[in-house]
């Protein structure tokens, strides 16, 4: 210590020009020199640190670590003169801890070993680091918040786009249905006009001719025209009956009368009636093994449905073709199949085939109201059944009606 006492003015002069704190420690871990900056840093008065053990500047928790560090520094080659930096904590006089960066450099003077300690106060740096950390934390929170807000906005936009797309699709569907409905109305008016005008013209013509055949030998001609009048009146009556059926179905006034009846009886009557309108060379193949079948359904509706399908098969089939009438039975249901070799239904019209008043493009010149299949479908479903079809244009159609054997 006497060496530094003799040269204290020189040491002070040199050390005070440095912004960092400086301590010189001997091999006994005693402080033999310090500058003003180090004294201010640790809260001591001028020269108060001289002669003190270095341990007073080291927190208790780090003294063991510092002892090993000091031993390793003193054991180094003095000639290397290498400054080694460490991040440590110092102990202020008031007991608080100070974050420090410490550079250690061993040296020898007049046969004694010393360590020059260069001390940098990291408090402001730590404070800046904490401020930066806090700013980064706040920035990350804001980024997360803005990102979530952006995601929510994007999600809302996606939902809005989806909603508008759905609304647009609904509008397009509604417009398409409106166009189809307008086409249907036009066809319906044309159909009704034709369907009523044709039989009325036939009746008028036949009635006029009947009046002209008034002699006894013209009785056969009179009867022929009277039969025409009767047939056309029946046709008009059937059309009006269909329209009345639609009204009853829409208002829920249709009454079904369920009872046991013989299937063969109904099938015989339906086929007998259909034989009256067969074209030249047409033939109906009778279903097999139905003589002993008894079902519990509305006999009138079953006959109406089968008649409609069979008459359609005859109407839309060419001459010299066969129509198969088949019946399939299971434990709980019965299925009727009417199979023809007719003109079939165009693919584009098949989705509308059960729509009221709809008629396929390839049958517009053929008599019909376009309400028969719609009525059949409504009755069959009301009885707990199902109607379906398969068809290919110019190859024929298969219409199937499935009914439960008993309907509650």
């Amino acid at each position: 210590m006497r060496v530094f006492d003799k040269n204290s003015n020189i040491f002070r002069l040199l050390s005070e020009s440095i912004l960092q704190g400086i301590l010189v420690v001997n091999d006994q871990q005693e402080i033999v020199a310090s500058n003003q900056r180090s004294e201010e840093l640790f809260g001591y008065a001028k020269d108060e640190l001289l002669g003190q053990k270095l341990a007073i500047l080291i927190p208790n928790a780090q003294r063991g670590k510092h002892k090993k560090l000091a031993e390793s520094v003193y054991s180094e080659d003095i000639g290397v003169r290498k400054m080694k930096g460490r991040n440590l904590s110092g102990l202020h006089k008031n007991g608080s801890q100070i974050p420090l960066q410490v550079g250690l450099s061993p040296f020898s003077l007049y046969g004694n070993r010393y360590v020059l300690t260069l001390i940098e106060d990291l408090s402001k740096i730590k404070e800046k680091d904490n401020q930066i950390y806090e700013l980064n934390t706040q920035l990350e929170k804001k980024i997360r918040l803005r990102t979530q807000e952006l995601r929510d906005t994007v999600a809302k936009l996606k939902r809005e786009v989806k909603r508008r797309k759905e609304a647009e699709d609904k509008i397009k569907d509604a417009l398409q249905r409106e166009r189809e409905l307008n086409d249907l109305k036009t066809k319906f008016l044309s159909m009704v006009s034709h369907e009523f005008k044709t039989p009325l013209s036939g009746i008028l013509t036949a009635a006029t001719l009947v009046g002209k055949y008034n002699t006894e030998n013209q009785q056969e001609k009179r009867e022929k025209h009277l039969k025409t009048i009767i047939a056309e009146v029946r046709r008009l009556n059937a059309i009006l009956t269909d329209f009345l059926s639609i009204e009853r179905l829409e208002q829920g006034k249709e009454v079904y009368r369920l009872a046991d009846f013989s299937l063969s009886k109904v099938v015989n009557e339906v086929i007998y009636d259909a034989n009256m309108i067969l074209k030249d060379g047409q033939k109906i193949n009778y279903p097999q093994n139905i003589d002993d079948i008894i079902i519990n359904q509305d006999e009138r509706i079953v006959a109406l449905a089968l008649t409609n399908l069979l008459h359609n098969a005859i109407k839309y089939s060419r001459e010299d073709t066969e129509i198969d009438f088949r019946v399939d039975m299971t434990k709980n249901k019965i299925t009727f199949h009417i199979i023809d070799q007719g003109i079939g239904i165009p693919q584009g019209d098949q989705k509308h085939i059960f729509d009221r008043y709809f008629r396929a493009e390839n049958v517009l010149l053929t008599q019909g109201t376009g309400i028969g299949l719609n009525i059949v479908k409504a009755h069959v479903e009301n009885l707990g059944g199902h109607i379906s079809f398969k068809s290919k244009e110019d190859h024929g159609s298969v219409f199937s009606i499935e009914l439960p054997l008993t309907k509650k």
Side-chain angles (χ1 to χ4, degrees):
M1 288 182 63
R2 288 193 299 273
V3 173
F4 286 93
D5 289 340
K6 294 177 181 179
N7 299 281
S8 62
N9 290 332
I10 298 174
F11 176 78
R12 284 276 180 187
L13 181 63
L14 293 174
S15 63
E16 297 305 334
S17 64
I18 299 175
L19 297 177
Q20 289 84 10
I22 294 177
L23 294 175
V24 178
V25 182
N26 63 18
D27 56 1
Q28 300 300 316
Q29 292 289 292
E30 294 175 343
I31 300 171
V32 296
S34 65
N35 68 348
Q36 183 179 353
R37 175 64 183 142
S38 62
E39 292 164 348
E40 292 173 351
L41 178 63
F42 291 102
Y44 289 90
K46 181 180 178 182
D47 296 332
E48 189 177 356
L49 288 173
L50 296 181
Q52 299 288 339
K53 289 287 186 179
L54 183 62
I56 67 169
L57 303 180
I58 302 171
N60 291 331
Q62 294 187 11
R63 286 177 183 175
K65 179 180 179 181
H66 179 268
K67 182 178 179 181
K68 292 180 181 181
L69 176 62
E71 290 174 354
S72 67
V73 170
Y74 282 115
S75 66
E76 292 177 353
D77 187 354
I78 299 298
V80 174
R81 301 291 182 188
K82 185 176 181 182
M83 179 71 73
K84 296 215 172 183
R86 303 285 197 284
N87 286 340
L88 302 170
S89 292
L91 184 63
H92 194 276
K93 187 177 182 179
N94 63 13
S96 63
Q97 292 191 22
I98 312 166
L100 305 173
Q101 186 177 60
V102 179
L104 305 174
S105 179
F107 67 96
S108 178
L109 183 66
Y110 301 118
N112 297 312
R113 296 173 66 87
Y114 300 95
V115 174
L116 176 66
T117 305
L118 192 63
I119 304 169
E120 179 77 31
D121 184 4
L122 298 181
S123 298
K124 292 184 178 179
I125 296 176
K126 286 286 186 181
E127 183 179 351
K128 295 294 184 184
D129 287 344
N130 290 335
Q131 290 177 354
I132 292 172
Y133 176 79
E134 183 64 26
L135 288 173
N136 285 337
T137 302
Q138 293 177 4
L139 181 60
E140 288 176 358
K141 288 181 179 180
K142 288 182 178 179
I143 290 173
R144 286 195 298 270
L145 179 61
R146 295 296 184 269
T147 301
Q148 186 59 47
E149 290 176 350
L150 181 60
R151 287 175 180 170
D152 293 342
T153 301
V154 171
K156 289 179 180 178
L157 287 174
K158 286 182 177 179
R159 289 194 295 270
E160 180 64 17
V161 169
K162 182 180 179 182
R163 186 187 67 79
R164 294 191 179 189
K165 181 65 170 60
E166 291 174 349
E168 182 181 348
D169 291 341
K170 288 180 179 179
I171 292 173
K172 287 181 178 178
D173 290 342
L175 290 174
Q176 181 62 28
R177 287 195 297 270
E178 184 68 21
R179 284 192 292 267
E180 292 174 353
L181 182 60
N182 287 333
D183 291 341
L184 195 58
K185 287 178 180 178
T186 301
K187 291 179 181 178
F188 170 69
L189 292 174
S190 176
M191 176 271 297
V192 169
S193 175
H194 177 76
E195 289 300 312
F196 279 88
K197 185 177 180 180
T198 300
L200 287 173
S201 296
I203 292 171
L204 179 60
T205 301
T208 301
L209 292 174
V210 167
K212 292 182 179 181
Y213 302 129
N214 50 19
T215 61
E216 186 175 349
N217 59 354
Q218 293 175 323
Q219 181 64 29
E220 183 178 348
K221 292 181 179 180
R222 284 199 301 271
E223 288 180 357
K224 176 184 176 182
H225 292 299
L226 287 172
K227 287 180 180 179
T228 300
I229 293 172
I230 293 171
E232 295 298 344
V233 169
R234 285 179 175 173
R235 181 177 163 191
L236 282 173
N237 185 64
I239 294 172
L240 292 173
T241 299
D242 285 344
F243 281 113
L244 291 173
S245 294
I246 290 174
E247 184 182 6
R248 288 197 302 272
L249 287 168
E250 284 185 341
Q251 295 180 0
K253 294 181 179 180
E254 188 68 52
V255 178
Y256 297 99
R257 295 176 175 82
L258 306 182
D260 292 340
F261 62 88
S262 169
L263 180 61
S264 62
K265 171 180 172 293
V266 172
V267 171
N268 285 332
E269 291 174 354
V270 170
I271 293 179
Y272 178 82
D273 180 61
N275 282 330
M276 299 295 103
I277 62 170
L278 286 177
K279 298 175 184 176
D280 291 341
Q282 284 186 335
K283 176 185 176 183
I284 299 175
N285 295 321
Y286 192 87
Q288 303 296 314
N289 303 319
I290 64 169
D291 292 340
D292 299 327
I293 296 177
I294 302 295
I295 63 174
N296 182 269
Q297 273 291 352
D298 188 312
E299 182 177 350
R300 177 180 62 90
I301 298 301
V302 173
L304 181 150
L306 295 177
T307 297
N308 183 281
L309 296 187
L310 201 54
H311 283 200
N312 282 348
I314 295 169
K315 183 191 302 184
Y316 301 123
S317 295
R318 300 174 181 87
E319 297 178 350
D320 300 314
T321 57
E322 293 186 358
I323 299 168
D324 289 334
F325 191 143
R326 299 179 187 174
V327 178
D328 293 333
M329 291 283 297
T330 64
K331 182 179 180 181
N332 299 316
K333 66 182 180 182
I334 182 170
T335 306
F336 304 95
H337 304 283
I338 306 298
I339 307 166
D340 66 53
Q341 302 169 23
I343 61 176
I345 304 169
Q347 184 66 36
D349 290 338
Q350 292 187 12
K351 63 180 179 179
H352 300 295
I353 203 63
F354 292 111
D355 292 351
R356 190 176 301 165
Y357 310 127
F358 179 81
R359 304 199 70 209
E361 291 292 338
N362 58 345
V363 299
L364 294 180
L365 299 179
T366 307
Q367 291 180 349
T369 60
I371 58 178
L373 287 176
N374 178 265
I375 293 173
V376 170
K377 182 176 184 292
H379 281 311
V380 168
E381 291 178 351
N382 287 345
L383 291 172
H386 175 71
I387 182 171
S388 60
F389 73 96
K390 295 180 181 179
S391 185
K392 185 176 181 181
E393 193 169 7
D394 296 323
H395 287 76
S397 303
V398 179
F399 276 82
S400 301
I401 292 177
E402 179 184 295
L403 289 170
L405 291 178
T406 58
K407 175 69 174 70
K408 294 183 180 180

